[in-house]
Amino acid sequence: MGKGGSLSDSVVKKIVLSYTYVAIWIFLSFTVIVYNKYILDKKMYNWPFPISLTMIHMSFCATLAVLLVRVFRLVEPVSMSREVYLSSVVPIGALYSLSLWLSNSAYIYLSVSFIQMLKALMPVAVYSIGVLLRKESYKNDTMLNMLSISLGVGVAAYGEARFDAWGVLLQLGAVAFEATRLVMIQILLTSKGISLNPITSLYYVAPCCLVFLSVPWIFVEYPVLRDTSTFQFDFVVFGTNSFCAFALNLAVFLLVGKTSALTMNVAGVVKDWLLIAFSWSVIKDTVTPINLFGYGLAFLGVAYYNHSKLQALKAKEAQKKTAQADEEEGRLLEEREADGMGKRNDQQN
């Protein structure tokens, strides 16, 4: 604190930077979602090839990641054996490719606003899969909270004006695969002491995604693209879209690295409400009162879940500090006793 209780320049600078990182992440995440919707929607750019779009993103991101890691050496690679890569990174790459494929496919069938409402199920999926794989402990109050989130999303789905069962199935599949990926990262990487930032993640995972996506692409989208002789690759549209996707990964790195993962979760809630408002006001998607009521219930459940996680983190940190203080106090007592013994020995001599 400075004079008159004002904040110091360093604190003000830190606050401004934190809000700047949040704003950049919200803007880029917002842009990527709307841009993907624009490209894939048949009523807009009309290029309904989600596997191809995902492969373009992965090719662009992998190339830039290799340049940053291997050529310019701005990011240090992680020491990893071939066995660890095949047993840990490859399964995560498979899950990531499925998650991206299905989530991009959903934009063809569902509105941006409704997709954001369905994404509120992510904490439910992560917790449930974590319990099944024994990475989370089952708690009745937490499961009740998960059920309240699910109820809210169910109400929002009931009130959806453009409900499409296939689109909902695609988005729910994307949520399930992404939740599994997040849990498997803890099991296959974090537990082994391997930590990947967004750049090294792309460096190791993007090539896997390309390989896995190429299989369905050859059978599903390649024949259609081959027969569509009128299609011309638009370097401006796909280049800027891919750059935004890569920049979003950098923004994640900045946001989580300079603030916290919890800050990102809170910023994600703000982004979701902005996307719903944008979808309603600009894209002219129909958002019904039942939609909003259901999502409001889910939002309260997610907010309570984030609050509970924050309290658990604070309790864990306080316990850690108490243990460190006790350890330090014990060490000082041992030193005093040793000094006292030494002085008594000197007096006896």
Side-chain angles (χ1 to χ4, degrees), residues 40-216:
L40 295 167
D41 197 302
K42 295 178 181 179
K43 297 179 181 178
M44 299 182 190
Y45 189 76
N46 191 25
W47 201 69
F49 300 102
I51 305 176
S52 301
L53 182 63
T54 307
M55 291 179 71
I56 292 170
H57 287 173
M58 289 296 102
S59 300
F60 186 89
C61 291
T63 302
L64 286 186
V66 169
L67 289 173
L68 290 172
V69 173
R70 289 296 180 188
V71 179
F72 299 111
R73 299 186 183 279
L74 296 176
V75 180
E76 285 292 325
V78 176
S79 178
M80 188 183 304
S81 66
R82 179 178 296 182
E83 182 182 352
V84 172
Y85 182 81
L86 293 175
S87 63
S88 301
V89 176
V90 171
I92 291 170
L95 291 168
Y96 194 36
S97 62
L98 288 168
S99 171
L100 291 173
W101 171 18
L102 297 184
S103 63
N104 281 333
S105 299
Y107 286 111
I108 300 173
Y109 305 96
L110 302 176
S111 66
V112 171
S113 58
F114 187 43
I115 285 175
Q116 301 314 120
M117 294 176 189
L118 291 175
K119 284 182 179 179
L121 287 170
M122 183 61 73
V124 179
V126 171
Y127 179 73
S128 301
I129 293 170
V131 170
L132 288 174
L133 297 179
R134 298 183 179 180
K135 290 301 293 182
E136 292 276 359
S137 58
Y138 176 85
K139 296 179 181 177
N140 288 330
D141 56 343
T142 304
M143 185 53 70
L144 185 62
N145 186 23
M146 298 299 107
L147 290 174
S148 70
I149 295 173
S150 303
L151 175 64
V153 173
V155 172
Y158 176 78
E160 174 60 22
R162 289 179 52 209
F163 184 89
D164 186 288
W166 178 242
V168 171
L169 186 63
L170 288 170
Q171 185 56 49
L172 292 180
V175 169
F177 282 121
E178 178 63 11
T180 306
R181 183 184 76 91
L182 294 174
V183 176
M184 293 304 289
I185 285 175
Q186 295 179 5
I187 296 173
L188 298 178
L189 294 179
T190 308
S191 62
K192 298 177 182 177
I194 301 173
S195 178
L196 299 177
N197 63 47
I199 303 303
T200 51
S201 292
L202 289 174
Y203 176 75
Y204 290 108
V205 174
C208 295
C209 289
L210 278 173
V211 173
F212 285 114
L213 288 168
S214 64
V215 176

Side-chain angles (χ1 to χ4, degrees), residues 254-308:
L254 285 173
L255 183 60
V256 177
K258 301 298 182 181
T259 57
S260 67
L262 187 64
T263 301
M264 184 174 167
N265 288 340
V266 175
V269 172
V270 176
K271 178 209 68 180
D272 290 343
W273 281 108
L274 288 174
L275 278 167
I276 291 171
F278 181 86
S279 177
W280 171 73
S281 61
V282 178
I283 304 178
K284 302 302 180 183
D285 287 329
T286 302
V287 180
T288 67
I290 298 178
N291 270 149
L292 293 176
F293 176 73
Y295 184 64
L297 290 177
F299 163 74
L300 291 175
V302 173
Y304 179 76
Y305 176 73
N306 287 334
H307 173 74
S308 300

Side-chain angles (χ1 to χ4, degrees), residues 306-317:
N306 287 334
H307 173 74
S308 300
K309 296 287 282 186
L310 177 61
Q311 295 303 314
L313 286 173
K314 285 182 176 179
K316 188 176 180 180
E317 189 66 25

Side-chain angles (χ1 to χ4, degrees), residues 238-252:
F238 294 106
T240 52
N241 179 246
S242 299
F243 180 79
C244 288
F246 181 79
L248 177 59
N249 281 278
L250 291 178
V252 170

